Amino acid sequence: MSWSERQQAMLEAMGLRVWTAPPVPEPEPEPEPTAPEPVLAKVEAPAPVRVASVLPQIVVPVQPAEQPRAPAAAGAVAAMDWTQLREAVAGCRACGLCEGRKHTVFGVGHERAHWMVVGEAPGEQEDLQGEPFVGQAGKLLDSMLRAIGLTRADGPPEKQVFIANTLKCRPPRNRNPEPEELAQCEPYLNRQIALVQPRIILAMGRFAVQSLLRSSEPIGRLRGRVHEYQGVPLIVTYHPAYLLRNLVDKARAWEDLCLAMDVLQRKT
Ligand code: URA
């Protein structure tokens, strides 16, 4: 079977490429025999078959071209709705982290949550499941939230938090985020906060603080007071993964949660 040019164009648009056997060269003419004709009856050799004429045309899938990397355009991201933002994150190729990820980790929770929690970056479990804070640190975060009557599961906006990270893709071997990766991912977090319009933000750990407050001061120096991100009160506290290794600071993290509750009660 052979395909017309139009059919071929349609197949290619569907990701299929028409493979046609290359033309087989005409066989070389037999050299003139120099020896005298044998006396025996001559046996006719079968006529050579042109392979190309009997091979069917085969349709083979086209390998998708490698997607180019492109920076996230902050201006475009700032105008996105939830659906567009989710799609943009899912297809993001703005930095090298896209090469090694299994899933992007967008965030979970109420789209108009009163509380927004901002962590650092997905780890192994988060990368596998596509949800933030599902490993050991996540279990501690869930307990901390439960202690103040909050949850990541279904609930009204005053109870169900929204949890997001500064990075949406896992850094290899859980290394620290690079400044360039934070910069590329920042428009997504900014837009999430703008859409949620939280009444209070809990910034957990130094990378959340660096992104949202532009501060590299240690957590110990920033916690215990009220900061602001775009007019929203922001409380700095320790990252749950740090608290797993430094149990003595759990009491301080508890104070931070109490401070956040106070601020919110005073606002409402
Ligand atoms: N640590 C984070 O900061 N975020 C996650 O999603 C998991 C671990």
Side-chain angles (χ1 to χ4, degrees):
M1 175 162 53
S2 67
W3 304 95
S4 71
E5 270 183 24
R6 187 157 162 271
Q7 285 170 321
Q8 290 193 24
M10 281 169 65
L11 286 165
E12 290 199 7
M14 291 187 299
L16 297 168
R17 181 162 54 86
V18 176
W19 182 84
T20 311
V24 174
E26 290 286 343
E28 290 287 318
E30 290 282 318
E32 285 297 318
T34 47
E37 285 284 312
V39 182
L40 289 173
K42 205 168 110 191
V43 178
E44 286 290 327
V49 177
R50 294 199 59 209
V51 182
S53 64
V54 293
L55 268 185
Q57 284 181 318
I58 302 169
V59 176
V60 289
V62 178
Q63 291 302 320
E66 178 96 333
Q67 294 288 312
R69 294 234 307 271
V77 174
M80 287 178 180
D81 62 20
W82 278 111
T83 309
Q84 292 165 331
L85 190 60
R86 281 176 198 280
E87 280 171 8
V89 168
C92 182
R93 297 186 55 78
C95 77
L97 296 183
C98 65
E99 310 287 352
R101 73 183 174 215
K102 302 236 171 3
H103 292 103
T104 53
V105 178
F106 181 78
V108 279
H110 202 294
E111 290 183 355
R112 292 304 304 272
H114 292 189
W115 290 73
M116 185 146 178
V117 175
V118 179
E120 181 182 315
E124 186 183 14
Q125 284 308 311
E126 290 78 19
D127 177 53
L128 287 173
Q129 298 181 40
E131 182 167 333
F133 282 103
V134 289
Q136 283 310 308
K139 291 199 173 75
L140 176 56
L141 173 61
D142 286 340
S143 317
M144 291 165 73
L145 295 175
R146 205 175 315 116
I148 52 171
L150 302 176
T151 174
R152 74 167 71 199
D154 279 353
E158 62 276 16
K159 297 264 176 236
Q160 188 189 6
V161 301
F162 192 95
I163 305 175
N165 281 316
T166 53
L167 291 189
K168 312 303 187 207
C169 295
R170 180 193 182 198
R173 296 173 304 284
N174 299 345
R175 66 154 167 74
N176 285 339
E178 304 269 355
E180 171 64 12
E181 294 158 357
L182 289 167
Q184 292 295 345
C185 229
E186 198 173 271
Y188 299 133
L189 178 61
N190 292 345
R191 186 60 187 155
Q192 286 176 310
I193 299 174
L195 287 167
V196 174
Q197 297 179 26
R199 298 181 185 197
I200 190 128
I201 298 173
L202 266 184
M204 300 189 125
R206 82 176 153 114
F207 292 101
V209 166
Q210 270 178 28
S211 257
L212 298 176
L213 294 184
R214 296 267 178 271
S215 169
S216 50
E217 274 202 73
I219 302 295
R221 298 259 291 275
L222 293 170
R223 57 167 295 278
R225 57 199 158 102
V226 185
H227 303 264
E228 236 183 51
Y229 168 87
Q230 312 236 327
V232 182
L234 181 152
I235 303 296
V236 170
T237 192
Y238 296 105
H239 191 283
Y242 165 88
L243 293 174
L244 288 173
R245 302 186 304 269
N246 298 275
L247 301 182
V248 289
D249 280 327
K250 275 191 176 179
R252 295 199 175 93
W254 173 247
E255 286 169 13
D256 298 333
L257 293 182
C258 293
L259 172 60
M261 282 198 298
D262 277 357
V263 172
L264 200 51
Q265 267 157 22
R266 266 186 268 133
K267 268 189 89 178
T268 48

